[in-house]
Amino acid sequence: MDYTKICFVIMPFGEKEVGGRKVNFDNLYDDIFVPAISAVSLPERGKLEPRRTDRDFFTGDIKLEMFHYLEYSRFALADISGLNFNVAYELGARHRARESGTAIFRQSQFAPPFDISSIKAFPYEYEPTEQAAKARELITRVLTESLVRNRLDSPVRLALTTQSQSGQTEALLTEAENAIRKLDWPGAMDIYRRAVAVNPANPLPRMKLGLLCRDREIWDEALEQLDGAIAASPLYGEAYREKGIVENKIAQIAKQPLDTDPAPGEVALRRAIELNDKDFDAYASLGGVLKRAKRFPEALAAYEKSLKVSGGHPYPLLNALKLRVPVNDRLDLSGADKVALARAERVREGQAQQDPPFDRPWCFFDLAEIKLYRGDPKAFVAVAQKGFEQTDADWQGRTFVDSLRLLLPAADELPGLKEGLEELEQMIS
């Protein structure tokens, strides 16, 4: 027998009670299932052939032939109406035997029990005559589409595959973390790529790979993996945040206009804030996007929100101070600003003294800027020079110097700013 053309029908035999009424399943098989299955075209040409064990004439054991059908048939159609014990048993055996090629149907008046209510079961009616025609059409369409797509439909195989993928993914994530501890960035990225291949629907390895690619300036792959993380988990706020950052950076590199509305990356960052309004980094990143778009009042508001949510983090603090100048024409440091700067100075000094420095080179650049605000122009230049020595890419130092130019209209409030910027420009060049 050529099982590649067979659709095995799993259903009750004879007359059974379903939803309080008697149903003749033999008539249903002849009038509904046989013509519907026979109308299904196989992708490789030919037609699907319906089979039911009690309609075949075997000289051997009917139970043996049933297991052959369950194991080898190209497709299996199960009618669970009435939840016949034999039907449930055969359906379970089929789900264990084959990962795809099984469709479940039920009569509309039959509500499946809770244990299997999550499994897709197509409802159908067979009375009056027009309903029977619709049922045949539905069955033919479901089987045809299922054969073409050949998707995993066995809950048993889905559960086992997910369990296997989870175990493999966890092992690979651990392996990648070990590579990162050894500063083996290419090795870690390759391991994360393997984890993505094992389980593409898991957003975590995609997110981690996206971040590593971002840090290594592999922008296209970073964006691809962040998009994949969002597709796998549409409420993944951190993935939206990082996507917005990467989109804006890609636009900068391509020299695309940054002053559009919305600005590159703005939509993703605002979505990240919608999903988590306590994400200070998303507010701060949005501030950066708006600053590059020359929308300074909006940028200042975003940084101030980030500062409030973070409880005084140095990054939004320093950016908010710089943006005051183009918005208000003055820096005008208050007593509260000076207290916040003193706290930020302690934080950044401690981070810069770690081995290796934490968040380099930005801990040095932030500390240099704080020294400027606190009236120590020599320390401003000296610490900035240490920051240049810690950079991994030219754009980092350039970004720091360019951002300080926002303060020039308030140079009278910051002794040593102009002279210090000239020295830093010479270091960069």
Side-chain angles (χ1 to χ4, degrees):
M1 184 177 296
D2 186 359
Y3 286 97
T4 64
K5 299 181 183 298
I6 298 300
C7 175
F8 180 52
V9 180
I10 305 170
M11 65 183 301
F13 301 157
E15 196 173 79
K16 300 289 188 297
E17 184 172 312
V18 177
R21 67 177 180 178
K22 295 289 184 179
V23 176
N24 190 314
F25 282 94
D26 293 343
N27 291 342
L28 280 179
Y29 178 73
D30 292 329
D31 299 338
I32 303 292
F33 293 116
V34 169
I37 295 168
S38 300
V40 175
S41 297
L42 295 168
E44 69 275 14
R45 299 179 66 180
K47 295 289 186 179
L48 202 58
E49 301 174 11
R51 290 288 190 277
R52 203 173 79 163
T53 49
D54 68 318
R55 296 297 181 92
D56 288 330
F57 297 94
F58 297 113
T59 57
D61 185 349
I62 190 171
K63 294 184 179 64
L64 177 61
E65 300 301 336
M66 177 193 74
F67 285 119
H68 282 177
Y69 276 135
L70 291 171
E71 182 75 26
Y72 303 119
S73 292
R74 176 74 165 273
F75 211 90
L77 183 157
D79 187 338
I80 62 171
S81 303
L83 201 63
N84 179 275
F85 178 82
N86 289 334
V87 169
Y89 177 83
E90 292 176 35
L91 179 59
R94 171 67 180 189
H95 276 156
R96 184 64 185 90
R98 301 289 290 244
E99 65 181 20
S100 62
T102 304
I104 304 174
F105 292 83
R106 65 175 177 85
Q107 291 168 29
S108 298
Q109 76 271 19
F110 169 72
F114 174 79
D115 290 351
I116 62 169
S117 60
S118 62
I119 302 174
K120 177 68 172 177
F122 297 92
Y124 74 92
E125 294 281 359
Y126 61 93
E127 291 178 334
T129 304
E130 57 267 22
Q131 292 296 336
K134 290 180 180 179
R136 287 189 288 269
E137 181 182 343
L138 171 67
I139 294 166
T140 300
R141 185 173 73 251
V142 169
L143 269 60
T144 300
E145 292 180 1
S146 298
L147 285 167
V148 171
R149 296 180 182 181
N150 196 35
R151 289 179 176 172
L152 187 68
D153 56 35
S154 164
V156 178
R157 293 299 188 93
L158 279 168
L160 294 176
T161 299
T162 300
Q163 183 182 38
S164 174
Q165 289 175 340
S166 297
Q168 292 179 59
T169 301
E170 287 298 323
L172 289 169
L173 290 176
T174 300
E175 188 180 345
E177 291 297 327
N178 290 333
I180 290 172
R181 291 188 184 97
K182 298 174 184 176
L183 304 182
D184 181 9
W185 311 115
M189 288 190 290
D190 284 341
I191 295 167
Y192 282 135
R193 291 184 185 110
R194 284 160 51 199
V196 170
V198 166
N199 190 359
N202 188 331
L204 183 57
R206 288 187 177 277
M207 180 69 173
K208 289 181 175 291
L209 177 55
L211 292 176
L212 276 185
C213 289
R214 178 205 66 185
D215 293 341
R216 309 271 80 74
E217 300 184 42
I218 309 173
W219 302 110
D220 290 345
E221 186 176 1
L223 184 57
E224 176 190 351
Q225 295 303 333
L226 293 169
D227 277 333
I230 291 169
S233 182
L235 301 181
Y236 202 164
E238 292 87 347
Y240 278 101
R241 180 191 68 210
E242 298 303 326
K243 176 183 177 179
I245 295 169
V246 170
E247 285 180 331
N248 194 262
K249 190 63 186 179
I250 289 174
Q252 293 177 56
I253 293 171
K255 301 189 182 304
Q256 297 173 0
L258 301 179
D259 56 356
T260 56
D261 190 3
E266 180 180 352
V267 172
L269 286 165
R270 292 195 183 279
R271 178 59 175 155
I273 291 168
E274 287 177 8
L275 293 169
N276 180 9
D277 63 359
K278 297 297 187 288
D279 187 348
F280 85 91
D281 202 6
Y283 283 110
S285 299
L286 177 61
V289 166
L290 296 172
K291 179 176 69 176
R292 285 183 283 275
K294 308 299 182 185
R295 290 154 59 184
F296 294 136
E298 293 177 74
L300 176 58
Y303 279 123
E304 288 177 339
K305 181 67 176 179
S306 176
L307 181 61
K308 180 179 179 181
V309 170
S310 68
H313 193 283
Y315 178 71
L317 168 65
L318 298 179
N319 278 285
L321 292 178
K322 286 192 287 286
L323 281 170
R324 283 187 192 173
V325 177
V327 173
N328 302 323
D329 296 323
R330 297 288 297 171
L331 179 59
D332 197 19
L333 291 175
S334 66
D337 294 331
K338 294 175 182 178
V339 170
L341 284 167
R343 291 172 179 165
E345 184 177 31
R346 290 195 297 271
V347 171
R348 281 316 211 184
E349 279 183 340
Q351 293 171 342
Q353 291 169 5
Q354 293 182 23
D355 186 20
F358 177 79
D359 190 29
R360 64 181 182 89
W362 308 110
C363 59
F364 291 100
F365 289 153
D366 286 356
L367 185 57
E369 186 176 342
I370 292 169
K371 298 294 185 184
L372 176 67
Y373 293 134
R374 290 174 65 78
D376 192 346
K378 289 184 178 180
F380 161 56
V381 174
V383 176
Q385 183 174 2
K386 291 181 181 179
F388 290 137
E389 294 169 358
Q390 294 286 333
T391 57
D392 295 318
D394 292 342
W395 66 267
Q396 294 171 329
R398 172 55 60 189
T399 297
F400 169 62
V401 172
D402 287 346
S403 69
L404 292 177
R405 294 187 178 285
L406 291 170
L407 295 169
L408 285 173
D412 59 321
E413 301 178 62
L414 295 169
L417 171 62
K418 290 182 178 180
E419 297 81 2
L421 280 176
E422 290 176 1
E423 287 190 55
L424 297 183
E425 282 287 359
Q426 291 176 1
M427 292 180 192
I428 293 177
S429 59

